[in-house]
Amino acid sequence: MDPSSSLAVSLVIAPLSSLPDFDPRLVPVVGVDAHLPAVPVQAQTAEALRARFAHPPQWEPEVLLEKKFMNREPARASVLIAIVLREQPMVLLTERTAHLSTHSGQVAFPGGRADAGDATPADTALREAQEEVGLARDFVEVLGTLPIYVTGSSFIITPVVALVQPDCVLQPNPYEVADLFEVPLDFLLNPANHRRHVFDRDGVHREWFSMPYQDGGKNHYIWGATAGMLRNFYRFMQA
């Protein structure tokens, strides 16, 4: 998924969600990256993550820019990649409610658009996480950011990576959040769980990753921008 191939796309195309018969779960898997090395578990401890962001390696993100499907002014936003420091580190994710105007019903990180009062992208992510899932800043240690990711809906997103204390108390906003769940960091940083998809329609070619996670009786379908940012996090950790 070379982002340079998307840089030349200037025409607005229809969002996948607008296609009456589109379900990302039904798009065939064209590849699974089991041949790539997983990030070692010893690199996923709080100490190792702090050291990684304090002295980041030379690396290149893999996914940066989606094909544009909304003719609107670009908007700055941030998301919080919140790593909850349980015995096994977990990543906090949400399922957005069905009535929201953008990315409704999809798995997402806590986050949203920047306000004028936000001094930094991290301030945006922390404010939005508190408003959306009730995560108080006192429980959060920001480690750093990943490269900006531009969605097809014209959001210019800064992913903010942070450690979260496991005794945090969460109160999801029912207007925005239909479900709140955690996925093992080890699962997300293992490319054997990264599936590639290709979808062609009306002369438009799209590619994306998915990382479906089975949690008991429920399958959380992580795909699109969320999976793209997680893929970049994998590349950062593996570099």
Side-chain angles (χ1 to χ4, degrees):
M1 294 190 185
D2 181 1
S4 64
S5 64
S6 298
L7 290 173
V9 176
S10 59
L11 295 177
V12 177
I13 61 176
L16 292 171
S17 59
S18 71
L19 302 177
D21 58 347
F22 176 77
D23 182 345
R25 298 171 187 263
L26 302 181
V27 176
V29 176
V30 298
V32 178
D33 286 343
H35 62 286
L36 295 175
V39 175
V41 292
Q42 60 266 30
Q44 301 177 35
T45 66
E47 294 78 10
L49 288 162
R50 290 186 186 104
R52 191 69 165 181
F53 278 90
H55 304 286
Q58 291 289 326
W59 72 290
E60 291 292 332
E62 187 169 348
V63 193
L64 290 174
L65 179 65
E66 297 177 350
K67 289 185 177 180
K68 188 176 181 182
F69 61 74
M70 191 172 289
N71 195 12
R72 52 175 285 182
E73 286 296 316
R76 295 278 175 181
S78 293
V79 297
L80 190 69
I81 303 180
I83 302 169
V84 185
L85 296 175
R86 307 200 187 280
E87 184 175 349
Q88 178 184 31
M90 307 289 285
V91 175
L92 182 67
L93 289 165
T94 73
E95 180 183 315
R96 292 167 62 82
T97 51
H99 63 81
L100 294 175
S101 60
T102 56
H103 310 295
S104 61
Q106 295 188 16
V107 170
F109 300 110
R113 68 172 66 218
D115 281 354
D118 297 332
T120 66
D123 285 335
T124 299
L126 292 171
R127 176 184 54 75
E128 283 285 336
Q130 186 155 16
E131 294 174 2
E132 193 173 326
V133 302
L135 178 59
R137 296 186 182 212
D138 293 345
F139 293 99
V140 183
E141 175 190 346
V142 173
L143 297 178
T145 62
L146 296 176
I148 285 172
Y149 185 102
V150 182
T151 70
S153 52
S154 297
F155 281 105
I156 303 169
I157 300 176
T158 300
V160 178
V161 183
L163 304 179
V164 176
Q165 295 303 312
D167 57 344
C168 65
V169 178
L170 302 177
Q171 294 181 319
N173 178 345
Y175 180 80
E176 297 185 58
V177 180
D179 193 14
L180 188 63
F181 62 97
E182 297 177 5
V183 178
L185 179 62
D186 187 45
F187 176 90
L188 297 170
L189 296 183
N190 184 347
N193 301 315
H194 298 183
R195 303 179 180 185
R196 294 176 177 268
H197 301 262
V198 171
F199 185 78
D200 290 286
R201 178 173 290 191
D202 300 328
V204 177
H205 179 81
R206 296 175 172 96
E207 299 181 27
W208 66 83
F209 288 101
S210 73
M211 303 168 187
Y213 176 67
Q214 193 68 34
D215 183 12
K218 183 166 186 179
N219 184 272
H220 298 288
Y221 196 75
I222 305 165
W223 76 292
T226 302
M229 286 182 270
L230 285 168
R231 178 69 171 203
N232 287 343
F233 189 29
Y234 161 74
R235 289 297 189 186
F236 169 77
M237 293 296 297
Q238 187 56 39

